[in-house]
Amino acid sequence: MNRRPSFPARLPASQPVATRRPATRTPVPAGAAPAPSGIGLDSGAVRARMVHKLAAQGITDRRVLAAMGEVPRHAFVDSALVNQAYEDTSLPIGLGQTISKPNVVARMIELLLGGECDAKGLLGRVLEIGTGCGYQAAVLARVAREVYSIERLRGLHEKARENLRPLRIPNVHLLFGDGMLGFPKGAPYAGIIAAAGGEDLPPCWIEQLAPGGRIVAPTLMPTGAQALVVLEKTPAGLKRSVLEAVHFVPLKSGIA
Ligand code: SAH
């Protein structure tokens, strides 16, 4: 049985989320996708073009390309930005934060999927640090069995909940808290992915990573520039690779 969740799926009655409110039942008929607003009815074609471009830019993992082709990115940005939703650009999501450009989201998830997956090619539990508008969590939900996504800004945590609600994704669990501490209750994770860049990987992330798992995170280099770091927990020990330069918002401690 293919357990890959499909949109729209029903929300479970309860989720292990500290701030969960009762799910409002938006009247979306079973089997129907939420109507795209402001981008015409053919957002699928626009997404297909985006996926084509991602492939041309070097994204090869079919799981990632499929997920990027399925998640309605325009549903996560302000109505004024809807027309830019499928362009290869980062976009403001409020409170001084940004959603990464599609190429960076795809690249990071592709790197995460280099870790141990099940027979269906799905990752197990994944922890995302920095929910933001919830877009990347929705993409992750297509390639992992469970996604725990933590956000330190209450305004964005709530915005992500609003954005995700109509999509009814049963395997995304939104958490409000400081992701620098990870989320020990959900550990161990097959993958940990950070959408904000810190000085170095917090040791608790490494502790919460399952054997065979990977952390993908923007990290400050001694030069002061950010680079993508991949840390793998292998039987032979930790393997750290420093990849290309990136520009992420800073990883901050505490909640606000
Ligand atoms: N993945 C997001 C991108 C969000 S931008 C998306 O698809 O929209 C990065 C986010 O990381 C910001 O919302 C910021 O508030 C959050 N962040 C920064 N430090 C954090 C921390 N310690 N814990 C949780 N979230 C954090």
Side-chain angles (χ1 to χ4, degrees), residues 197-232:
E199 302 225 326
D200 209 351
L201 301 181
C204 65
W205 293 2
I206 302 171
E207 282 157 27
Q208 291 172 29
L209 188 68
R214 283 186 167 200
I215 298 175
V216 179
T219 307
L220 272 183
M221 297 291 113
T223 58
Q226 270 181 355
L228 216 48
V229 165
V230 176
L231 185 120
E232 297 168 72

Side-chain angles (χ1 to χ4, degrees), residues 32-142:
S37 55
I39 195 164
L41 285 176
D42 205 8
S43 73
V46 189
R47 261 195 311 284
R49 274 204 295 282
M50 177 188 79
V51 169
H52 198 258
K53 201 163 157 193
L54 289 173
Q57 288 168 333
I59 303 295
T60 56
D61 193 305
R62 292 173 64 175
R63 294 165 293 182
V64 178
L65 293 172
M68 297 292 293
E70 285 158 354
V71 177
R73 197 169 192 262
H74 64 275
F76 291 86
V77 299
D78 276 359
S79 50
L81 299 171
V82 155
N83 290 333
Q84 293 173 62
Y86 295 101
E87 287 171 18
D88 206 15
T89 178
S90 56
L91 293 171
I93 53 172
L95 300 179
Q97 308 302 315
T98 50
I99 180 175
S100 307
K101 53 184 183 176
N103 179 268
V104 172
V105 173
R107 164 82 171 140
M108 288 178 75
I109 296 180
E110 189 169 64
L111 288 168
L112 201 69
L113 280 164
E116 248 169 51
C117 293
D118 67 12
K120 305 257 182 234
L122 289 175
L123 280 168
R125 272 195 306 276
V126 165
L127 176 66
E128 179 192 35
I129 319 293
T131 312
C133 66
Y135 170 71
Q136 182 169 270
V139 180
L140 286 167
R142 311 291 299 175

Side-chain angles (χ1 to χ4, degrees), residues 97-98 128 130-131 133 136 151-153 156 178-179 195 249 252:
Q97 308 302 315
T98 50
E128 179 192 35
T131 312
C133 66
Q136 182 169 270
E151 172 58 56
R152 65 177 290 276
L153 297 178
L156 283 176
D178 181 0
V249 295
K252 293 187 176 171

